[in-house]
Amino acid sequence: MGREQEQVEAIEASKTLPVSQYLLFGVILGIMVAIVYTIVEYVFDKFLSKALNLGIILIIKSVIYFIFLIFSLSIIAFLAEDYLNVDFPNQTGWWISNRIFWLVTAYFIICSLLFSFIRLANDKFGKGMIFKMLIGRYRKPREVDRIFMFLDLKSSTTHAEQLGHLKYSQLIQDCFFYLNKIINRYDAEVYQYVGDEAVLSWTPKRGIRHSNCVRLFFDFERKLKRHSKYYQKKYGVQPEFKAGLHSGKIIIAEVGTVKKELAYHGDVINTTSRIQEQCNEFGESLLISEEFLLKLNLGNKFIAKPLGDELLEGKKEELKLFAIRRS
């Protein structure tokens, strides 16, 4: 009876404590959750995303978060007893039959899965695109201004014959893995992958800012060279890419009901692809149209070499092309 009376008195006393003390524990728990969540997401994205499939990653994350909740809530309960004078259950195994713990756990895991879904949706459609699709922004075709880059593996036919289809496919995966590591740094979006080719896009503001669309290509090239020993050892080749850059008005719209996608339609797509195809003819790695070059400020890190007017396949008018190189 005495023990029960003490608990009642402690609870009554806690009601008179300043709200700031309750907020303090909320802040402490929030900081702990934010730190652990950030560390876990960083480690998995940086070191394990390539080695593990999505299902295994979600299971491991859930286990980590579950253990973390037991540990963190036990610490919070221990501290609360001292500062709030409330008798919280914190003995070994307290969480097994505690309803509040399981509610918090369910809430935390559901939120984690929701954040993972949002990240997957952003990876699939691009930043902010999932929200625009939810509100039906692209149910009807809309005209937008976009920058496009067609990025293609050099000597792809030779590599495919030398490596065989399976190993060649692994080579493409390895190359695009490093491409995916830098696209966010340069505000790029992956429109689609077609065989050994990747199609990237930017809004004019993001692509032109700091010459992001140009810097991405040379950063990707640098990453491939940095891992040359790995490629030589595993595949016996050093992958190199070529690219074409162009911009202009284009139509974007949702297509399909099964496996719905956002599709771009317009001459800009075809022109950019044709520009990239000219890389072999001129022996260059990055070509750009004069129309788009005039919008860029390359600074002193890059130089643009004029290549003259070219009549691209399917075009009626010649297009002036430039090769972009490091200065």
Side-chain angles (χ1 to χ4, degrees):
M1 188 66 182
R3 177 61 174 170
E4 293 178 356
Q5 183 65 29
E6 289 177 0
Q7 289 181 342
V8 171
E9 291 176 355
I11 293 173
E12 291 298 325
S14 68
K15 294 179 180 178
T16 63
L17 292 174
V19 175
S20 59
Q21 290 193 346
Y22 292 100
L23 292 176
L24 176 61
F25 284 101
V27 170
I28 291 174
L29 181 59
I31 292 174
M32 292 173 65
V33 169
I35 292 174
V36 171
Y37 185 84
T38 301
I39 292 174
V40 170
E41 293 298 320
Y42 175 80
V43 169
F44 274 87
D45 285 348
K46 187 76 174 178
F47 304 106
L48 300 176
S49 59
K50 187 178 179 181
L52 302 175
N53 61 57
L54 179 60
I56 297 297
I57 288 176
L58 291 177
I59 291 174
I60 295 175
K61 284 183 180 179
S62 297
V63 172
I64 292 173
Y65 294 146
F66 179 76
I67 295 172
F68 163 71
L69 281 174
I70 296 175
F71 175 76
S72 61
L73 290 178
S74 295
I75 292 178
I76 293 295
F78 176 78
L79 294 175
E81 284 191 337
D82 287 340
Y83 288 93
L84 300 182
N85 297 318
V86 178
D87 186 22
F88 284 96
N90 57 9
Q91 68 276 13
T92 302
W94 64 269
W95 51 272
I96 296 176
S97 58
N98 190 287
R99 286 181 58 189
I100 295 178
F101 168 78
W102 289 109
L103 287 173
V104 172
T105 300
Y107 171 79
F108 192 88
I109 291 178
I110 290 172
C111 288
S112 177
L113 292 174
L114 179 62
F115 292 148
S116 296
F117 168 77
I118 293 173
R119 292 187 62 188
L120 287 172
N122 280 332
D123 289 343
K124 171 64 177 177
F125 299 108
K127 291 181 180 179
M129 285 296 184
I130 186 63
F131 175 74
K132 293 177 181 178
M133 293 183 69
L134 288 174
I135 63 176
R137 183 175 177 83
Y138 300 117
R139 285 182 62 83
K140 294 182 179 180
R142 299 174 64 96
E143 185 179 66
V144 295
D145 202 353
R146 285 289 188 274
I147 300 167
F148 282 93
M149 172 185 283
F150 275 67
L151 191 66
D152 190 36
L153 180 67
K154 290 183 179 180
S155 306
S156 55
T157 303
T158 302
H159 291 330
E161 292 178 350
Q162 177 182 341
L163 298 172
H165 295 305
L166 180 59
K167 207 158 188 178
Y168 177 69
S169 180
Q170 292 174 342
L171 171 64
I172 298 301
Q173 280 186 317
D174 273 344
C175 292
F176 287 158
F177 174 80
Y178 291 113
L179 175 64
N180 293 158
K181 288 291 185 182
I182 63 173
I183 56 175
N184 288 333
R185 185 184 309 166
Y186 298 103
D187 292 325
E189 298 173 4
V190 177
Y191 169 43
Q192 62 183 9
Y193 298 102
V194 184
D196 51 23
E197 183 177 69
V199 183
L200 309 182
S201 74
W202 291 262
T203 62
K205 181 179 179 180
R206 292 179 176 179
I208 293 173
R209 183 175 57 203
H210 308 307
S211 299
N212 276 335
C213 55
V214 173
R215 291 169 60 221
L216 177 143
F217 176 80
F218 289 103
D219 194 4
F220 179 49
E221 186 178 65
R222 184 168 57 250
K223 278 190 174 294
L224 294 179
K225 290 180 179 178
R226 186 183 302 165
H227 294 86
S228 59
K229 291 183 179 179
Y230 166 79
Y231 287 112
Q232 289 291 346
K233 181 179 179 180
K234 186 172 182 179
Y235 303 105
V237 300
Q238 173 58 50
E240 296 180 343
F241 279 76
K242 55 187 177 180
L245 269 172
H246 186 50
S247 70
K249 299 289 185 180
I250 198 165
I251 302 299
I252 181 173
E254 292 181 20
V255 294
T257 53
V258 178
K259 200 181 181 296
K260 183 178 293 186
E261 290 187 354
L262 288 175
Y264 290 101
H265 305 127
D267 182 64
V268 174
I269 289 282
N270 297 327
T271 301
T272 311
S273 177
R274 298 291 182 265
I275 291 174
Q276 181 260 112
E277 290 172 356
Q278 295 298 305
C279 288
N280 289 337
E281 180 177 335
F282 291 103
E284 299 287 348
S285 294
L286 178 60
L287 299 184
I288 187 173
S289 64
E290 180 185 42
E291 177 185 346
F292 180 49
L293 177 62
L294 294 175
K295 302 176 184 178
L296 285 173
N297 179 16
L298 295 178
N300 56 7
K301 291 185 177 181
F302 308 103
I303 57 174
K305 175 188 175 183
L307 301 176
D309 296 329
E310 286 293 317
L311 183 62
L312 304 179
E313 182 181 346
K315 303 287 290 183
K316 294 181 180 180
E317 297 181 2
E318 291 184 335
L319 196 68
K320 188 180 291 293
L321 300 179
F322 287 78
I324 305 296
R325 301 173 179 174
R326 291 183 183 277
S327 57

